[in-house]
Amino acid sequence: MLKNETIPRDPMILLSFINTKLRDQYNSLESLCDDMELDENDLKNILKAIDYSYNQELNKFV
């Protein structure tokens, strides 16, 4: 469970939110998670449940 209360809880909205942040503000998932105080593995698991995984080369969940 993600502890940051400012991010969307719905997985599809979370996907859009995270990909937008990655595109516009962060050069890696690690930097996004560090800055937003998110657990990277929790985030990956939530999005994996809707069949998305992080692509480091593209810097987004696909």
Side-chain angles (χ1 to χ4, degrees):
M1 177 58 90
L2 297 173
K3 296 178 183 176
N4 186 323
E5 298 297 321
T6 64
I7 64 169
R9 295 290 174 231
D10 179 274
M12 292 304 292
I13 296 172
L14 178 63
L15 171 66
S16 177
F17 176 84
I18 294 297
N19 275 343
T20 299
K21 291 283 189 187
L22 288 168
R23 182 191 70 219
D24 295 346
Q25 297 175 334
Y26 298 96
N27 61 5
S28 71
L29 181 60
E30 182 180 2
S31 64
L32 179 146
C33 289
D34 286 345
D35 189 50
M36 297 188 74
E37 299 179 354
L38 300 173
D39 183 282
E40 187 173 334
N41 288 324
D42 286 348
L43 180 60
K44 285 179 176 180
N45 287 334
I46 290 168
L47 296 178
K48 184 178 180 180
I50 59 168
D51 296 323
Y52 283 83
S53 60
Y54 180 66
N55 181 306
Q56 187 173 10
E57 218 171 88
L58 299 174
N59 191 37
K60 68 179 183 178
F61 282 86
V62 292

